[in-house]
Amino acid sequence: MRRTLAALAATFVVVAGAAAVVPSPAAEATAPPAPSAVAAPQALTRTVIGHSVRGRPIRAFYRGDPGATHVLLVLGQMHGDEKAGPATARWLKKHLTPKPGTGIWVIPTMNPDGAARRTRTNAHGVDLNRNWPTSGWSSARRGTRYWGGPRPASEPETQAMIAFLREIAPDYIASIHQPLRGIGRSGRDVRWEKRLARNLHLPRRHFGVGNPSGTVSPTLTGWYDSTLGRHGVATTIEYGARTSVRFRTAVAGRGIARAARVR
């Protein structure tokens, strides 16, 4: 991992509208301990990386080598009405044992308000996958399911994820969505995309969000690849509208882990 678990004993908070990481003696007791304090390499640790508009915690869970140099992050849900991804995240959190030298971060949802209300958007009505600060961001389509917000990274959920991703800089990010059924094709790491496609039995496809030609999509994957791409690659995984329990748990969980070579 680019930074050890000890670095994440800091609390992720939002200060004056911008995400920041500040040391805090009041950090949750469940925040990841320093490596020397971890009872076993495969112990599950957790931290709260931020809070939603309504104050709900955004939780991240880590399992694996505390000093891992190869790390996968799985985001189960960004849109609150897409329900299958959190099941994959929960399965990974409970069942995956990463191989030595590797680790996995699991975030079941970065939109707990949307999950509670079963809406695509957050509590401000913002599509969090159009809110990332890239050249393709737009404030158009206010009042629709695809509004990018009043300004780039305006939402506390986006700010929390940006701070967290800058802190851990994972090698692979799997961002799970529905219902377009495919593996996002960016060409940045074709072999990773093909491994995902093979393991999850999904085709590689291009997923556009309507940003102008020559600009970077205002999505998590667009932001990560353009900003922190030297550290790794972020890929959209779109499940179908309907998934079996087996697919969204063991099949997808094992498939993503194998594709990222942490299992």
Side-chain angles (χ1 to χ4, degrees), residues 227-243:
T227 305
L228 296 173
R230 66 189 181 280
H231 294 303
V233 60
T235 300
T236 296
I237 298 173
E238 286 269 359
Y239 294 167
R242 296 182 181 180
T243 61

Side-chain angles (χ1 to χ4, degrees), residues 68-74 92 96-104 171-174 189-196 198-199 233 252-263:
T69 57
H70 183 80
V71 175
L72 163 70
L73 182 145
V74 176
L92 284 164
L96 181 71
T97 300
K99 64 185 181 182
T102 73
I104 179 171
D171 298 274
Y172 292 113
I173 297 175
D189 190 332
V190 173
R191 286 184 290 185
W192 150 248
E193 293 174 8
K194 287 183 175 179
R195 292 196 301 270
L196 283 171
R198 180 173 64 252
N199 291 345
V233 60
R254 290 193 184 107
I256 293 169
R258 287 193 184 112
R261 294 176 172 166
V262 299
R263 183 181 187 274

Side-chain angles (χ1 to χ4, degrees), residues 144-160:
T144 74
R145 287 162 40 90
Y146 306 102
W147 182 41
R151 62 186 181 278
S154 59
E155 304 310 294
E157 298 92 344
T158 311
Q159 294 166 14

Side-chain angles (χ1 to χ4, degrees), residues 45-229:
T45 58
R46 65 180 180 175
T47 188
V48 172
I49 69 169
H51 292 82
S52 68
V53 171
R54 301 298 184 206
R56 291 183 172 94
I58 302 170
R59 293 188 172 93
F61 301 85
Y62 180 80
R63 192 186 297 277
D65 189 332
T69 57
H70 183 80
V71 175
L72 163 70
L73 182 145
V74 176
L75 174 61
Q77 183 188 66
M78 189 178 299
H79 299 134
D81 58 353
E82 297 172 5
K83 303 174 185 177
T88 305
R90 289 191 295 269
W91 187 91
L92 284 164
K93 179 167 69 74
K94 183 176 181 180
H95 295 287
L96 181 71
T97 300
K99 64 185 181 182
T102 73
I104 179 171
W105 281 101
V106 175
I107 300 177
T109 182
M110 67 168 283
N111 185 8
D113 293 345
R117 301 188 310 162
R118 298 183 180 181
T119 61
R120 176 184 176 90
T121 61
N122 75 346
H124 283 157
V126 175
D127 180 347
L128 296 178
N129 212 28
R130 305 292 188 277
N131 187 235
W132 293 72
T134 71
S135 58
W137 176 85
S138 170
S139 64
R141 308 183 78 177
R142 185 173 188 140
T144 74
R145 287 162 40 90
Y146 306 102
W147 182 41
R151 62 186 181 278
S154 59
E155 304 310 294
E157 298 92 344
T158 311
Q159 294 166 14
M161 283 296 296
I162 286 174
F164 187 63
L165 293 176
R166 287 189 184 279
E167 182 70 17
I168 68 168
D171 298 274
Y172 292 113
I173 297 175
S175 179
I176 302 174
H177 294 265
Q178 282 178 289
L180 300 180
R181 195 176 179 277
I183 303 299
R185 184 175 61 196
S186 72
R188 289 201 65 251
D189 190 332
V190 173
R191 286 184 290 185
W192 150 248
E193 293 174 8
K194 287 183 175 179
R195 292 196 301 270
L196 283 171
R198 180 173 64 252
N199 291 345
L200 273 64
H201 315 293
L202 294 171
R204 291 172 62 224
R205 300 177 58 189
H206 172 71
F207 297 119
V209 298
N211 55 292
S213 177
T215 64
V216 176
S217 67
T219 60
L220 182 157
T221 55
W223 177 85
Y224 191 80
D225 288 348
S226 64
T227 305
L228 296 173

